[in-house]
């Protein structure tokens, strides 16, 4: 009996401790008690698989421009969404969860495993290789409002490696630019999706001679110019009536898209059931640009 008890005790201590993912509340309203009142503090404390609830506030959550760099752990940051005004009487709280850089005029740099849901960014967002060969991997933006541009930046001296990056149901008031110009081997864009978004300015994906796989551009509204080579573009609305550069869609597959521009040389590999020269007044009951102003 004693030997059995000792054996069970040994097994108990031999089992590794299992760390469960945590949920952290961040709220900068003085009258509210939460785990943190600073997003920077929460970013310094979270563990892999944790979720940060960035609660709505009239005051933005200020961060440093490098608060979201050099993070290897997975974290999900959930905010209160955006554009509550059409149905504000049905909302529990119409305030947004706003992230803003402390130093005006600077950008928010990102690399690491992040999932942002319902967050408002008040600055340009840069997917960046800032130090070492840290590539962009496992990042997603869902139902976010970006009050600026989204772009990709390589600090130089490294191959461009972008993998498993996804954008869904966002409103981007600026432009979007992923340009791979590195001469290093093994540069690639893989498992990238851009779906159900509205973007106000130029949308550009230019990967040059880099390797590519699964570039899916689907169900979006593009209000500005556009260029995307080697992608799968389906069910999109291209609101801008200006004729793009003939090479804008080189090597892409185009299916069921609506273009305000008249028929032009797309450079696409395959075109199926696309419409050109469409009057956007027959597509929208109001100019989609007005949503940004809350009209």
């Amino acid at each position: 009996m004693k030997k059995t008890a000792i054996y069970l005790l040994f097994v108990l201590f031999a089992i590794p401790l299992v760390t469960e993912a945590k949920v952290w509340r961040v709220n900068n309203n003085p009258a509210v008690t939460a785990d943190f009142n600073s997003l920077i503090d929460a970013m310094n404390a979270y563990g892999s698989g944790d979720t940060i609830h960035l609660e709505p506030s009239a005051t933005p959550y200020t961060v440093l421009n490098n608060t979201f760099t050099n993070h290897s752990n997975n974290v999900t940051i959930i905010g209160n969404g955006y554009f509550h005004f059409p149905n504000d009487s049905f909302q529990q709280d119409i305030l947004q969860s706003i992230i803003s850089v402390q130093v005006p005029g600077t950008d928010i740099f990102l690399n690491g495993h992040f999932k942002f849901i319902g967050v408002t960014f008040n600055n340009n967002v840069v997917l960046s290789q800032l130090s070492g060969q840290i590539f962009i991997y496992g990042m997603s933006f869902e139902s976010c409002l970006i009050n600026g541009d989204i772009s990709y930046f390589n600090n130089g001296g490294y191959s461009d490696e972008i993998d498993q990056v996804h954008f869904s149901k966002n409103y981007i008031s600026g432009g979007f630019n992923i340009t791979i110009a590195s001469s290093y081997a093994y540069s690639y864009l893989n498992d990238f999706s851009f779906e159900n978004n509205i973007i106000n300015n130029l949308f550009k994906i230019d990967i040059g001679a880099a390797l590519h796989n699964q570039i899916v551009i689907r169900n979006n509204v593009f209000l500005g110019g556009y260029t995307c080579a080697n992608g799968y573009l389906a069910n999109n609305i291209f609101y801008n009536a200006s004729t793009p550069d003939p090479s804008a869609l080189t090597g892409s597959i185009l299916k069921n898209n609506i273009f305000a521009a008249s028929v032009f040389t797309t450079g696409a590999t395959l075109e199926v059931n696309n419409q050109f020269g469409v009057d956007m007044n027959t597509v929208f009951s109001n100019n989609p640009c007005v949503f940004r102003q809350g009209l």
Side-chain angles (χ1 to χ4, degrees):
M1 183 68 180
K2 184 181 293 186
K3 288 183 179 180
T4 302
I6 293 174
Y7 174 76
L8 291 175
L9 187 62
F10 171 79
V11 171
L12 179 63
F13 281 99
I15 297 174
L17 295 177
V18 177
T19 303
E20 294 185 358
K22 296 181 180 180
V23 176
W24 304 98
R25 290 181 56 207
V26 181
N27 195 311
N28 60 9
N29 295 284
V32 176
T33 300
D35 297 302
F36 302 98
N37 58 21
S38 163
L39 180 55
I40 294 177
D41 291 342
M43 289 301 300
N44 289 331
Y46 83 91
S48 184
D50 286 0
T51 299
I52 296 174
H53 281 277
L54 196 63
E55 299 183 353
S57 174
T59 304
Y61 294 90
T62 58
V63 295
L64 303 174
N65 69 340
N66 64 349
T67 294
F68 301 104
T69 62
N70 299 322
H71 288 271
S72 58
N73 291 329
N74 295 297
V75 63
T76 299
I77 301 177
I78 301 176
N80 199 41
Y82 63 95
F83 291 169
H84 303 102
F85 52 83
N87 300 294
D88 51 8
S89 61
F90 298 98
Q91 306 296 324
Q92 175 67 26
D93 195 323
I94 64 172
L95 296 176
Q96 295 171 301
S97 305
I98 302 172
I99 297 176
S100 184
V101 176
Q102 289 181 0
V103 180
T106 57
D107 302 329
I108 295 176
F109 292 93
L110 298 175
N111 57 49
H113 303 283
F114 292 105
K115 183 174 185 178
F116 295 97
I117 303 174
V119 172
T120 295
F121 292 91
N122 260 4
N123 306 84
N124 297 328
V125 175
V126 180
L127 313 183
S128 175
Q129 295 182 334
L130 279 179
S131 59
Q133 195 168 0
I134 301 172
F135 61 97
I136 308 303
Y137 172 77
M139 189 181 301
S140 66
F141 299 77
E142 180 181 330
S143 301
C144 292
L145 172 63
I146 293 93
N147 288 319
D149 300 326
I150 296 180
S151 61
Y152 164 74
F153 172 72
N154 186 333
N155 195 39
Y158 311 107
S159 59
D160 296 280
E161 302 174 21
I162 306 173
D163 195 6
Q164 297 183 33
V165 176
H166 307 287
F167 294 84
S168 174
K169 295 176 286 190
N170 306 288
Y171 188 98
I172 304 169
S173 68
F176 185 98
N177 184 356
I178 290 181
T179 299
I180 296 179
S182 173
S183 60
Y184 283 78
Y186 309 114
S187 292
Y188 61 82
L189 175 62
N190 179 62
D191 190 7
F192 172 89
S193 65
F194 193 87
E195 302 179 281
N196 300 293
N197 303 285
I198 299 176
I199 178 168
N200 219 36
N201 293 328
L202 175 66
F203 176 84
K204 179 180 180 181
I205 295 181
D206 183 357
I207 60 174
L211 300 173
H212 58 274
N213 185 41
Q214 291 181 294
I215 303 175
V216 177
I217 316 296
R218 185 165 48 197
N219 305 326
N220 304 286
V221 177
F222 297 98
L223 300 177
Y226 44 90
T227 175
C228 177
N230 304 305
Y232 174 81
L233 289 78
N235 308 316
N236 299 291
I237 299 173
F238 296 92
Y239 188 89
N240 194 322
S242 300
T243 302
D245 185 281
S247 62
L249 302 172
T250 297
S252 291
I253 296 172
L254 305 180
K255 289 186 177 182
N256 308 318
N257 299 288
I258 297 175
F259 294 87
S262 299
V263 175
F264 59 94
T265 303
T266 64
T269 299
L270 177 66
E271 298 186 47
V272 178
N273 198 35
N274 300 288
Q275 300 180 52
F276 297 87
V278 176
D279 181 356
M280 288 295 144
N281 291 320
T282 65
V283 179
F284 297 98
S285 61
N286 199 349
N287 187 329
C289 296
V290 301
F291 290 123
R292 184 160 59 96
Q293 285 77 36
L295 301 177

